[in-house]
Every structure is written in C-alpha cells, then in structure tokens.
C-alpha cells in the first residue's frame, strides 16, 4: 500500500502497476526481447518472398524471350502425260495416270510446351503469408497485460505465500533505500570535490547576469536529473551549487 511505504521516483520505474494501461519499464524490456526473437522469422520470411519473386521473374523472362516457332511448307506435284491414241497409250494412261499426285504440306510448331509456365503470387497470398508473423508481433505487445494476472492468481490460491512476498519486498526496499542514500551521498561528495567545468561556470554566469534566461537554462537535480521546478531546493550551503528536487530534498 502506498500509505505504508510511498515509492520514490527511482523506485517507481522498477515496479509494475496492474491498473496502469501503459507498458512499463520491466514489461518493456521483456516485450523488446520477445520482439527481437521475431526478427529472424521476419528475415526468413522476407528471404523466402524475395526468392519466390526472383524465381518467378527469371522463369517469366525465359518464357517470353525463349519462345521459338517453326513453320514448314512443302509442295509436291507429279504428272505423267502419255501421248498417242493407240491401245497401248490408252492402257498406259489408265494405269500410270493414277500416279499423278499433287501434295501441299504446311506444318507449324513451337516450343511452347517445353517452356515454363510460372504463376506469381498475388497480394492477397503475400498478405496471408505475413499475417501469422503480424499476429505473433501483436501477441508480443499484448501479452504484458495477461502476465499481470499471474500475481493475482497466485495470491488467490496461496494467500500466506503472498503475505511472505509482500514482507520480503518491504524489507528489500528498506535495505535498498539505505544503500541508495549511502551511495548517493558518496557520489555527491565526489562530485563536489571536482572543480566545475567551463560549461557549468558559463551557465552560472549567464543565470546571474541575465535572470530572464533562467526559464530557458533550467538546472537539473543533482541526484535524479529532473528539470528545475518551483519545488526544487538549492543546498543550504552558499558555496555549494547542488540543486535537489522535492523528493530528493
């Protein structure tokens, strides 16, 4: 409960609030990892679609530029003329005259049967191929919300275990805050021992010389780095240039 232990600004980012519809930082890290796992599938799908389009383009070029048509025409004429009016001439005309023939041959053929007949995929087929991967990416984005129910389901079936977890979390936060203050005090002390840089001195001179620039040249909190607001407090030591927000102060 927030009335028992209000969370600091730095601690809020490490927890998941189930009632918050936005994707929070711990969930964002898990979601990004799941999306990264979809990248190999996406690359494989793009490779397959590109290979399919390349093969179709190659076969289509072969089909259009390798077509050959053959045309064959022949003409054969045989005529035997027997002159005369004798009996032998009549007999020869009746027998050999049957050999008179006239043949005209026209033959057209092509290699159309041997050429490939490629069929390209339509946009709908490409869309149907990409739909499963798109659905997988959407599930990676939406799965953070069902995952929030895990703690509620576990606390319903194991209430004693839930109380133990809450107590452990409370003590863990107290230890982290104690260590956090110790570490931050040391960091601020080391930062105070270092001489201010040229940019810091120039910024301080500009703020002192032209007060109207303070709205643009806002200082930041020494601990959390938040921008200056009316609630920010400077250090009580006049020689110290440290600046703290309300929470850190």
């Amino acid at each position: 409960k927030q009335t028992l232990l209000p969370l600091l600004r730095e601690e809020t980012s490490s927890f998941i609030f189930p009632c918050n519809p936005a994707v929070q930082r711990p969930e964002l890290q898990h979601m990004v990892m799941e999306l990264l796992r979809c990248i190999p599938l996406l690359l494989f799908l793009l490779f397959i679609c590109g290979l399919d389009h390349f093969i179709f383009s190659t076969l289509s070029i072969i089909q259009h530029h390798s077509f050959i048509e053959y045309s064959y025409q022949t003409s054969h004429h045989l005529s035997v003329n027997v002159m005369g009016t004798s009996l032998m001439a009549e007999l020869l005309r009746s027998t050999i005259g049957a050999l008179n023939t006239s043949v005209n041959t026209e033959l057209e053929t092509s290699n159309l049967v041997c050429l490939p007949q490629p069929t390209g995929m339509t946009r709908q087929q490409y869309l149907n191929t990409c739909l499963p991967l798109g659905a997988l990416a959407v599930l990676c984005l939406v799965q953070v919300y069902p995952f929030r129910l895990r703690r509620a389901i576990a606390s319903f079936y194991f209430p004693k275990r839930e109380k133990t977890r809450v107590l452990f979390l409370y003590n863990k936060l107290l230890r982290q805050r104690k260590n956090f203050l110790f570490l931050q005090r040391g960091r601020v002390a080391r930062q105070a021992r270092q001489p201010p840089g040229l940019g810091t001195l120039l910024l301080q001179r500009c703020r002192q010389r032209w007060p109207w620039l303070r709205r643009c040249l806002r200082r930041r909190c020494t601990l959390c780095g938040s921008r200056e607001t009316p609630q920010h407090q400077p250090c009580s030591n006049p020689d110290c240039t440290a600046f703290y927000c309300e929470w850190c102060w």
Side-chain angles (χ1 to χ4, degrees):
K1 296 182 179 180
Q2 294 185 358
T3 55
L4 179 63
L5 185 63
L7 296 176
L8 299 178
R9 183 178 302 173
E10 295 79 9
E11 298 171 344
T12 305
S13 59
S14 60
F15 286 91
I16 299 175
F17 297 92
C19 298
N20 189 1
V23 179
Q24 301 164 50
R25 182 179 295 180
E27 298 173 330
L28 185 62
Q29 296 176 356
H30 182 72
M31 183 181 65
V32 170
M33 292 301 299
E34 293 294 333
L35 291 176
L36 289 178
R37 294 178 182 176
C38 298
I39 293 180
L41 296 178
L42 177 61
L43 296 178
F44 177 74
L45 183 61
L46 292 176
F47 172 75
I48 292 298
C49 293
L51 182 62
D52 172 78
H53 181 71
F54 173 75
I55 294 176
F56 168 74
S57 301
T58 304
L59 295 179
S60 180
I61 292 174
I62 294 175
Q63 180 188 12
H64 288 87
H65 295 277
S66 298
F67 177 73
I68 300 176
E69 185 176 7
Y70 301 93
S71 180
Y72 178 72
Q73 296 180 356
T74 60
S75 179
H76 178 72
H77 298 279
L78 177 63
S79 178
V80 179
N81 296 324
V82 179
M83 307 300 293
T85 58
S86 61
L87 180 62
M88 183 60 69
E90 293 292 338
L91 180 62
L92 289 176
R93 274 195 293 268
S94 61
T95 55
I96 300 177
L99 298 176
N100 296 339
T101 58
S102 179
V103 179
N104 293 324
T105 304
E106 293 184 2
L107 179 62
E108 293 184 358
T109 183
S110 64
N111 62 344
L112 183 62
V113 181
C114 302
L115 293 178
Q117 304 293 331
T119 302
M121 293 178 61
T122 61
R123 292 184 178 180
Q124 185 64 31
Q125 291 174 338
Y126 278 115
L127 182 61
N128 295 336
T129 305
C130 299
L131 276 179
L133 184 60
L136 180 62
V138 172
L139 289 177
C140 292
L141 298 176
V142 180
Q143 69 176 354
V144 296
Y145 299 104
F147 282 175
R148 294 180 183 180
L149 300 176
R150 294 179 296 180
R151 189 206 59 82
I153 296 174
S155 62
F156 177 78
Y157 287 100
F158 305 98
K160 294 183 178 180
R161 184 67 174 176
E162 177 69 12
K163 292 181 181 180
T164 305
R165 294 181 63 202
V166 171
L167 183 61
F168 172 79
L169 179 61
Y170 179 78
N171 294 328
K172 179 182 177 182
L173 282 177
L174 291 180
R175 291 193 300 268
Q176 287 180 351
R177 287 187 180 182
K178 183 178 180 181
N179 296 332
F180 175 78
L181 292 176
F182 178 77
L183 294 176
Q184 292 300 326
R185 283 171 183 169
R187 186 173 69 86
V188 173
R190 290 192 302 269
Q191 185 176 353
R193 296 190 194 99
Q194 297 177 358
L198 181 60
T200 305
L201 292 176
L202 183 60
L203 182 62
Q204 293 177 0
R205 296 285 179 83
C206 292
R207 289 175 57 88
Q208 294 175 1
R209 186 175 181 84
W210 298 290
W212 55 274
L213 286 177
R214 294 180 181 178
R215 295 183 178 180
C216 301
L217 303 177
R218 293 184 180 182
R219 291 181 292 180
R220 293 181 177 272
C221 177
T222 307
L223 293 180
C224 63
S226 60
R227 287 187 173 274
E228 180 182 0
T229 60
Q231 288 75 23
H232 279 57
Q233 298 289 337
C235 182
S236 56
N237 187 358
D239 298 333
C240 183
T241 59
F243 201 65
Y244 302 97
C245 63
E246 183 180 5
W247 287 97
C248 298
W249 181 256

